[in-house]
Amino acid sequence: MRTANTHKNMARCAATATLACVLGLGLAAPAYADTASDLAAARTKLEQIGTQTQQIYDELATQTQALDQTAGEITQKQQEIADGQAKLSTYVAGEYKTGGLSLLQVLTGVDDLGDMLNRLFYYGKVSDKQAQTIQEVKDLKQQLTDKQTEQEKNVAATQKKVDELNAQQAEAQSVVNSLDSQLQAELAAEAEANAALQAGINASTAEKATVSNDTAGTTENTNNGGQTNNNNNQGGNTPAPAPKPAPTPAPAPTPSAPSQSVDGGSVVSRAYSKLGYAYSWGGIGPNSFDCSGFVSYCLTGRYCRLGTTVDFMGWTRVSDPQPGDVVVNSYHTGIYIGNGQMIHASDYKTGVIISSVAAGMNNNYIFVRY
């Protein structure tokens, strides 16, 4: 009897163990299913983000090229206005010395270039040639205003795209952070054969993109926009104050002549030191750059802006470029490092990189020396 009961108890224990095993397997299955589901959901979301960020990068590349071109046009207008103002200043000074113009009568209370131009014109104190110069300066001022308005719109459009990019990157980071290390490793392995997924994973670790408050039209050096100071006071006859130009952005400095103090090796060394740093339109460092801001840093060792690509194109051209020279076209620039290669602040997607000159400049460029 006892033996029979013992067998029954053993059977009962075995059945219980089997049930527990089944239940245990039953409990484990949903956990596995959830993990697979999480992986699939993360994969799909990161692929979507990757595709979207690629589109935004392409749009930003076009947008920043437009920004650089407009910045160059603004620089040109500023210089043309400065040249026109210089002509007018010479004319006014000459007329005063010969007694042909009463500055006290015409310019009393003048505090604006536009007001001065109008007064000179309507007082009939100018020749046809001088009237033409006045009209040219007024036209240039309007063109400058139009370009600045256009640039404000371009900056706003770029900022909108940058905000979209940052939102996508934040979402990608959230997706990746929600996974444990094993699932992250599995996704990374899959990404080797999945470009969209790789782009999504890259977005999760990308630095936040920015549009700098420092505009690409800003230069390191400024001047007085064509103003001249006449201190030749004689006796008690004090001339009226020289006319004040309207407040316009400072024109770019005259392109610099080659400087023997710039060492090509130091320029290249600085360029290499910033590899991998982020791109930001208007950036002059230390943590992000646009193309002309990057070149300016490499040439000077300072976080400044020597000018725009338009200014750089006015520097001395060289037919046998050496490491440390500048490669430039109307909308992009970089540092030549030899063997047909350059280092440049490329775009939001890649930041500061090494590439062939031909690829970086789309086969349209010149070499210049600072």
Side-chain angles (χ1 to χ4, degrees), residues 64-72 151 216 279 281 290-291 309 330-331:
T64 51
Q65 181 173 325
L67 284 168
D68 288 338
Q69 287 180 326
T70 306
Q151 192 72 328
Y279 177 96
W281 188 83
D290 66 10
C291 62
T309 54
S330 62
Y331 58 85

Side-chain angles (χ1 to χ4, degrees), residues 42-56 165 167-175 196-197 199-201 203-204:
R43 181 190 305 112
T44 299
K45 188 61 182 176
L46 287 171
E47 287 174 344
Q48 293 173 349
I49 292 172
T51 300
Q52 290 167 350
T53 55
Q54 293 300 310
Q55 292 173 347
I56 294 174
L165 178 61
Q168 292 291 332
Q169 291 173 345
E171 187 172 4
Q173 185 176 20
S174 177
V175 171
L197 177 57
I201 293 174
S204 72

Side-chain angles (χ1 to χ4, degrees), residues 9-314:
N9 289 335
M10 292 177 62
R12 188 180 295 113
C13 289
T16 301
T18 302
L19 178 60
C21 184
V22 172
L23 288 175
L25 290 174
L27 289 172
Y32 178 81
D34 288 344
T35 299
S37 177
D38 289 345
L39 185 64
R43 181 190 305 112
T44 299
K45 188 61 182 176
L46 287 171
E47 287 174 344
Q48 293 173 349
I49 292 172
T51 300
Q52 290 167 350
T53 55
Q54 293 300 310
Q55 292 173 347
I56 294 174
Y57 280 134
D58 290 343
E59 292 167 358
L60 276 173
T62 301
Q63 192 66 43
T64 51
Q65 181 173 325
L67 284 168
D68 288 338
Q69 287 180 326
T70 306
E73 291 167 356
I74 287 174
T75 299
Q76 283 184 313
K77 296 301 177 188
Q78 289 170 333
Q79 188 61 57
E80 290 170 4
I81 288 172
D83 292 343
Q85 289 174 193
K87 288 182 182 178
L88 291 176
S89 296
T90 301
Y91 156 65
V92 170
E95 287 294 304
Y96 175 78
K97 289 177 181 178
T98 60
L101 179 66
S102 172
L103 287 178
L104 288 174
Q105 177 188 19
V106 177
L107 300 177
T108 298
V110 168
D111 59 2
D112 178 89
L113 175 63
D115 187 20
M116 183 197 79
L117 298 179
N118 287 332
R119 290 191 186 199
L120 286 173
F121 186 81
Y122 288 113
Y123 269 85
K125 299 292 184 180
V126 294
S127 66
D128 290 343
K129 183 176 181 179
Q130 293 157 346
Q132 180 180 355
T133 301
I134 290 172
Q135 188 60 49
E136 287 174 354
V137 172
K138 292 176 72 174
D139 290 344
L140 285 168
K141 280 176 60 64
Q142 184 58 54
Q143 292 168 17
L144 175 61
T145 299
D146 293 343
K147 284 295 177 183
Q148 289 171 328
T149 300
E150 178 184 344
Q151 192 72 328
E152 289 175 1
K153 293 179 180 178
N154 287 341
V155 170
T158 301
Q159 183 64 65
K160 182 178 179 181
K161 284 298 172 186
V162 164
D163 291 342
E164 290 178 17
L165 178 61
N166 287 331
Q168 292 291 332
Q169 291 173 345
E171 187 172 4
Q173 185 176 20
S174 177
V175 171
V176 171
N177 289 345
S178 70
L179 304 174
D180 61 31
S181 58
Q182 181 178 348
L183 291 184
Q184 290 182 17
E186 290 184 32
L187 280 178
E190 291 183 22
E192 294 180 2
N194 186 332
L197 177 57
Q198 185 64 66
I201 293 174
N202 291 344
S204 72
T205 59
E207 291 187 30
K208 185 176 181 180
T210 60
V211 177
S212 174
N213 291 329
D214 196 32
T215 66
T218 302
T219 56
E220 178 189 21
N221 302 310
T222 58
N223 58 41
N224 293 324
Q227 295 185 65
T228 57
N229 295 322
N230 187 347
N231 295 320
N232 297 325
N233 297 345
Q234 309 219 351
N237 296 325
T238 303
K244 298 178 181 178
T248 58
T254 302
S256 306
S259 172
Q260 300 300 319
S261 63
V262 175
D263 174 66
S266 297
V267 172
V268 171
S269 178
R270 293 187 196 111
Y272 270 103
S273 74
K274 294 299 181 180
L275 280 174
Y277 276 62
Y279 177 96
S280 69
W281 188 83
I284 58 173
N287 298 317
S288 63
F289 301 86
D290 66 10
C291 62
S292 56
F294 173 73
V295 167
S296 298
Y297 165 73
C298 294
L299 292 174
T300 66
R302 300 189 302 276
Y303 299 117
C304 65
R305 188 181 300 282
L306 292 172
T308 66
T309 54
V310 172
D311 297 311
F312 298 171
M313 291 182 73

